[in-house]
Amino acid sequence: MISWALLLLIGFVAISLPIAAALGLMGYVLSEKFAFFPMIGALGELAWNSSNDFILIAAPMFIMMGELMHRSGMSERLFTALTPWFARIPGGLIHTNIAASAIFAATSGSSVATAATIGTVAIPNMDKGGYNRPLFLGSIAAGGTLGILIPPSINMIIYAVLTDTSVADLYAAGFIPGFMLAGLFSLMVLGLTIWRPHWGGHKQDTTNLWARRKAGLRHLVPPLGLFLVVVGSIYAGIATPTEAAALGLMATVALVAFNGQLTLPVLLRAFEGTVRTTCMVMLIVIAAFFLNFVMVSIGLVQAITSGVLSLGLSPLAMLAAIIVFYLVLGCFMETLSMMIATTPVIVPVIKALGYSPVWWGIIFVILMEAALITPPVGLNLYVVQAVRGGGRFYDICLGSLPFVLMMITMIVILIAFPQLALWLPTVLNPKLG
Amino acid sequence: MQDGHLPEKLLPDEPLPQRVSRILAWVAGAIILFGCSGLITIDVITRYFFKRGMVESFEISGYALAACIGLGMAFTVTSKSNIRVDILLDALPDRARVACDIVASVSLSVIAVALAWYSFGTLQQSWAMGAKSVSMLQTPMVLPQGIWWAGLFWFACMAVLIPIQAISRLLGGNRAGFDALIGSLRVVEEIEQAGVPASSDGKQS
């Protein structure tokens, strides 16, 4: 049964069927072959139930927030405002790339948007400033991935729905690892540019540094304000994560309108982008729910879990094997589909090994970040390449490598100190403690 | 910001079915903005000040999401947004690629038709039983499910139409038109959709 499922999946994906179609057809074939009664009849009910799930409503609202912010020039102003703060540090603008990505990430849940916007602003300065190209480009590609680890995060919402975990707990758990990972990125850049000073570019203009720093501060207010609305309101007890997303979207619309940029074309293009991403994801989610329903009913999930457990590996070795599996799979698969397709199978194994699903959620998101910047299929690499418009693609892959190492380091740290992820949720939500 | 550019056309030149799908996507987006975000915001604010919500947003926003998903689904087909793993595809000879593109497109139409068919069953059942939501509103379920299903039905129509359109273009010798319909999404297109003008030379090595 397991080998059947595996063969089907590999076959469908290899001939490049759309992921949603591959999962749906796989569910159909498995149910025809192994179930006692045809299960396709449940498709309508499953589709309806996942179509009006209250937790999932947050996803399109976050996507629309990102679309609007991205088109309103907020990130450009953020980038310019941050630049003078890193003028004296070796690596200069590379740190700006990382910091701007981290802050932008704290208001958006999309990594493509983050990398594309920061890339458009930053890349013209790369050769002007004499930076090492791979490192500079790598920082943009990798910085963009922080979008899904630092709350809010679309990926965490979908993970929460698939595994029945609390979104608020996942957000809280992602907070410290997210900013720590940004710190690790910067630390690594600092180390490399001290070791090879010419990688860090020319000396920057340091006149009037404080005046420029102060002048830029007001551009930090909108993103930080949005962060407070979207994340603060949850832990202040005013709103649930879904309601917080609604407040955030309204606040974003107000901000864009305040800047006089809320025009009909901006709004309609944002609608298009939102609907395209939402429906694409939802089709995969519906197909995955159907497949999961079939797999549980025919006993496939239990078979996999007990099969894996009967290998007799220690939990840590098992965990390591799963992580390596995802690092490899992430090279070839788009991240969101990888997450939706594998979560229903892997998370029961993780729970059976005695790990917390919230903690694993964070590790999982970091693995997806790595998948976004590992060639050949790493969406952020292509985004940066396309924004750059020419030059060697190899540069970006090479430059992303040290950042992938930092992600693996972060995972090791989280395995050694699970409290980094699990402490904040227990503080903010005493029920857990 | 926009000076120097020609004003962007809101509706690009495209065949009628594609245009309808785009307009439905606008409606779906507006539903998210007003039906989800707007209503929920009103409820959160009134709950904060008056200790009670005003508009039952918890229930209605769920229907709004379903409406958005239904109405917007066709746009994923016409904008080629359904994700495929096309890494092996690049290594294949051209004919095999075309075959894979067609198979992929047809497989999606199978899924779309199945979805429309079985969700019609759900709608029909709600109709037959006169199902109402268990809440203050007592919404007749056929209302939200009807809008949702109408969208999914249009999605199925588009998913069936697109491969036919593409194959007829291919037979007519219009290879570029074929790629524009069902070839997998190139990164340059993806960036353009994200709203960043990609340079014409966005080659991947």
Side-chain angles (χ1 to χ4, degrees):
Chain A
M1 196 154 66
I2 297 178
S3 49
W4 255 93
L6 212 59
L7 275 178
L8 275 177
L9 186 64
I10 293 174
F12 285 156
V13 171
I15 58 168
S16 87
L17 293 194
I19 299 293
L23 298 182
L25 290 177
M26 184 177 158
Y28 179 71
V29 174
L30 287 179
S31 115
E32 286 298 298
K33 198 154 170 52
F34 297 105
F36 294 114
F37 57 95
M39 302 178 118
I40 183 84
L43 181 60
E45 203 58 39
L46 282 170
W48 172 250
N49 288 338
S50 37
S51 292
N52 67 77
D53 188 304
F54 188 70
I55 296 174
L56 278 177
I57 300 170
M61 293 193 288
F62 278 133
I63 297 170
M64 196 179 287
M65 258 178 89
E67 289 277 337
L68 282 171
M69 280 193 289
H70 173 57
R71 286 162 209 268
S72 73
M74 191 193 290
S75 43
E76 273 105 322
R77 291 189 290 272
L78 174 66
F79 188 87
T80 323
L82 286 173
T83 304
W85 293 91
F86 300 100
R88 286 188 193 278
I89 302 173
L93 277 184
I94 304 182
H95 298 288
T96 311
N97 292 343
I98 297 167
S101 301
I103 295 181
F104 193 74
T107 55
S108 104
S110 155
S111 34
V112 171
T114 312
T117 9
I118 305 292
T120 334
V121 202
I123 288 174
N125 298 306
M126 176 173 71
D127 288 341
K128 233 189 293 172
Y131 290 95
N132 174 269
R133 282 182 194 156
L135 195 59
F136 193 91
L137 296 167
S139 73
I140 298 169
T145 68
L146 290 171
I148 58 175
L149 180 59
I150 297 176
S153 158
I154 295 165
N155 297 51
M156 284 185 195
I157 293 169
I158 294 171
Y159 177 86
V161 170
L162 289 171
T163 59
D164 220 359
T165 355
S166 138
V167 176
D169 287 348
L170 282 167
Y171 279 5
F175 203 77
I176 296 176
F179 283 101
M180 250 182 97
L181 185 57
L184 280 178
F185 285 171
S186 257
L187 218 62
M188 183 266 295
V189 170
L190 191 67
L192 284 178
T193 46
I194 289 174
W195 178 50
R196 290 272 186 273
H198 60 280
W199 285 0
H202 314 311
K203 273 237 166 335
Q204 283 193 50
D205 169 28
T206 49
T207 50
N208 288 334
L209 217 47
W210 276 107
R212 282 194 290 147
R213 283 175 183 169
K214 256 190 258 169
L217 276 183
R218 67 195 172 90
H219 295 306
L220 295 180
V221 175
L224 293 181
L226 282 181
F227 179 69
L228 277 183
V229 169
V230 172
V231 178
S233 63
I234 300 174
Y235 302 106
I238 300 173
T240 65
T242 301
E243 291 170 344
L247 297 178
L249 176 53
M250 278 297 148
T252 309
V253 170
L255 264 176
V256 177
F258 182 73
N259 285 336
Q261 285 161 324
L262 195 67
T263 59
L264 194 62
V266 165
L267 207 54
L268 290 182
R269 291 290 169 260
F271 284 173
E272 280 178 21
T274 307
V275 170
R276 184 166 38 229
T277 311
T278 305
C279 292
M280 177 270 286
V281 169
M282 280 308 300
L283 190 62
I284 302 178
V285 168
I286 292 172
F289 267 120
F290 173 63
L291 174 61
N292 193 37
F293 174 68
V294 172
M295 287 202 303
V296 170
S297 312
I298 63 174
L300 188 61
V301 172
Q302 296 88 318
I304 293 176
T305 311
S306 58
V308 166
L309 291 181
S310 72
L311 292 175
L313 293 171
S314 71
L316 198 61
M318 206 50 240
L319 191 67
I322 293 175
I323 288 171
V324 171
F325 163 76
Y326 273 122
L327 284 172
V328 175
L329 190 66
C331 293
F332 302 99
M333 241 182 121
E334 195 276 332
T335 47
L336 214 48
S337 0
M338 174 171 95
M339 183 185 91
I340 301 170
T342 59
T343 296
V345 180
I346 296 288
V347 170
V349 175
I350 293 287
K351 282 188 189 160
L353 291 172
Y355 293 109
S356 143
V358 171
W359 170 83
W360 167 252
I362 302 307
I363 298 209
F364 195 16
V365 171
I366 300 177
L367 285 168
M368 281 187 283
E369 289 189 79
L372 278 167
I373 54 170
T374 41
V377 180
L379 194 49
N380 270 24
L381 301 172
Y382 291 107
V383 169
V384 173
Q385 174 71 6
V387 171
R388 181 188 181 196
R392 282 186 311 169
F393 182 58
Y394 173 73
D395 282 348
I396 307 172
C397 301
L398 182 71
S400 296
L401 203 63
F403 293 94
V404 175
L405 288 180
M406 287 303 109
M407 291 173 184
I408 296 174
T409 311
M410 190 66 226
I411 291 176
V412 173
I413 294 176
L414 274 173
I415 293 174
F417 305 101
Q419 288 309 317
L420 283 173
L422 294 176
W423 174 71
L424 208 53
T426 50
V427 172
L428 293 170
N429 183 357
K431 269 181 294 186
L432 283 175
Chain B
M1 215 172 117
Q2 272 132 355
D3 42 336
H5 291 278
L6 288 171
E8 194 188 359
K9 255 198 197 162
L10 278 182
L11 277 169
D13 294 317
E14 55 192 354
L16 186 67
Q18 270 87 344
R19 177 164 291 184
V20 172
S21 303
R22 184 180 298 273
I23 293 172
L24 283 179
W26 292 349
V27 174
I31 289 176
I32 291 291
L33 182 58
F34 300 107
C36 294
S37 178
L39 291 186
I40 293 176
T41 304
I42 293 175
D43 256 2
V44 172
I45 292 174
T46 54
R47 197 180 58 208
Y48 187 73
F49 288 107
F50 310 112
K51 303 288 173 240
R52 59 181 291 266
M54 241 176 70
V55 286
E56 297 288 331
S57 63
F58 181 81
E59 185 177 346
I60 299 176
S61 58
Y63 302 148
L65 177 68
C68 163
I69 291 168
L71 298 176
M73 202 61 97
F75 190 54
T76 64
V77 187
T78 58
S79 61
K80 296 199 293 180
S81 309
N82 288 294
I83 291 176
R84 299 164 59 190
V85 179
D86 50 4
I87 171 161
L88 286 176
L89 226 54
D90 286 331
L92 291 178
D94 193 55
R95 271 165 182 269
R97 275 187 69 146
V98 170
C100 278
D101 281 343
I102 294 174
V103 169
S105 178
V106 170
S107 74
L108 192 66
S109 54
V110 171
I111 292 291
V113 169
L115 194 58
W117 178 264
Y118 287 101
S119 54
F120 184 69
T122 305
L123 174 66
Q124 213 175 19
Q125 205 180 1
S126 301
W127 177 264
M129 300 194 316
K132 289 190 172 149
S133 68
V134 269
S135 68
M136 297 267 290
L137 290 179
Q138 296 214 322
T139 319
M141 292 310 282
V142 286
L143 273 180
Q145 285 180 346
I147 301 175
W148 172 71
W149 179 78
L152 291 181
F153 177 72
W154 179 251
F155 167 53
C157 294
M158 291 315 294
V160 171
L161 175 76
I162 293 283
I164 296 174
Q165 226 179 3
I167 292 171
S168 76
R169 280 189 188 180
L170 189 67
L171 295 177
N174 180 359
R175 180 59 203 276
F178 172 84
D179 276 340
L181 276 182
I182 63 173
S184 71
L185 197 66
R186 297 280 143 236
V187 175
V188 178
E189 295 175 276
E190 191 144 347
I191 303 287
E192 276 164 3
Q193 289 183 350
V196 180
S199 67
S200 52
D201 186 37
K203 276 189 212 130
Q204 307 156 28
S205 45

